[in-house]
Amino acid sequence: MSADIREKAGEVLQDEAAARERFYTIKSQSSSVQLTADKNALKKIKKRFGDLDHLIQAAFEKSVLGSDSPEMFTMIAQKYEAEKKELSKQANDLSASIEKQSQTENDVDTFIALMKKYVNITELDRATAVELIDHIVVSASTVQPREIVIYYNFIGNME
């Protein structure tokens, strides 16, 4: 693993601009599909939120004009307000997810700074592993050597 870290760090030292572009592409690809899905879901929630406001207003007008009873309006309004509350929570969660995914450039800069820090790494200690590595996947295969995939913090899988 320290060899893999030295390789990535060497790539940064050799041509930082090319490394930055490669890391940015890797990071963007992994999050672009989810980012698009989250943005579309947020757009639908905002549209529904507007629809609910119109429905509440229409129910109120019916109540005032005498078409529906005040109890009916209260029941309908409570139902729509509960839905708005749930949609608001979902929208907040999606906004946070979108914000996190939009941090690609900052993540790449942070990763490059970390790689520069560990150019001459000879062995991987716990502190360095925690700082650099999100998680590692080791294949369950009995064939040797097993496939090891390293997922770095800020970037993900670089293979």
Side-chain angles (χ1 to χ4, degrees):
M1 281 186 240
S2 58
D4 190 61
I5 294 169
R6 277 194 308 273
E7 178 187 323
K8 305 293 185 280
E11 184 180 342
V12 169
L13 283 180
Q14 185 176 10
D15 187 353
E16 186 174 331
R20 180 181 308 280
E21 186 64 32
R22 185 170 96 82
F23 298 156
Y24 187 81
T25 300
I26 290 167
K27 179 71 175 178
S28 295
Q29 286 174 349
S30 66
S31 64
S32 68
V33 171
Q34 185 64 44
L35 182 62
T36 301
D38 287 351
K39 283 183 177 179
N40 287 339
L42 186 59
K43 187 177 178 181
K44 287 179 183 177
I45 286 172
K46 287 180 178 178
K47 182 184 181 320
R48 179 63 181 163
F49 216 89
D51 292 345
L52 289 172
D53 284 338
H54 290 304
L55 289 169
I56 291 169
Q57 182 179 355
F60 177 73
E61 289 173 2
K62 282 184 176 182
S63 173
V64 169
L65 296 174
S67 300
D68 287 341
S69 69
E71 294 80 18
M72 179 63 81
F73 167 73
T74 302
M75 184 181 74
I76 291 170
Q78 286 174 343
K79 177 184 162 212
Y80 289 151
E81 287 299 330
E83 185 177 350
K84 282 176 65 175
K85 185 176 180 181
E86 178 59 31
L87 289 174
S88 181
K89 182 186 176 304
Q90 290 175 10
N92 287 339
D93 292 346
L94 285 169
S95 294
S97 176
I98 290 167
E99 179 66 29
K100 182 179 177 187
Q101 293 170 51
S102 298
Q103 294 222 329
T104 299
E105 196 168 314
N106 291 338
D107 288 348
V108 169
D109 290 341
T110 302
F111 184 74
I112 286 176
L114 284 173
M115 287 295 102
K116 286 179 180 179
K117 182 177 172 182
Y118 293 106
V119 169
N120 296 319
I121 189 172
T122 55
E123 64 181 60
L124 185 63
D125 61 9
R126 178 170 168 55
T128 304
V130 168
E131 186 174 30
L132 291 176
I133 299 171
D134 182 35
H135 66 281
I136 299 170
V137 176
V138 180
S139 70
S141 169
T142 57
V143 177
Q144 297 296 330
R146 289 183 174 181
E147 181 182 10
I148 298 173
V149 180
I150 302 170
Y151 290 82
Y152 288 95
N153 288 329
F154 308 105
I155 298 293
N157 180 12
M158 306 263 307
E159 302 306 318

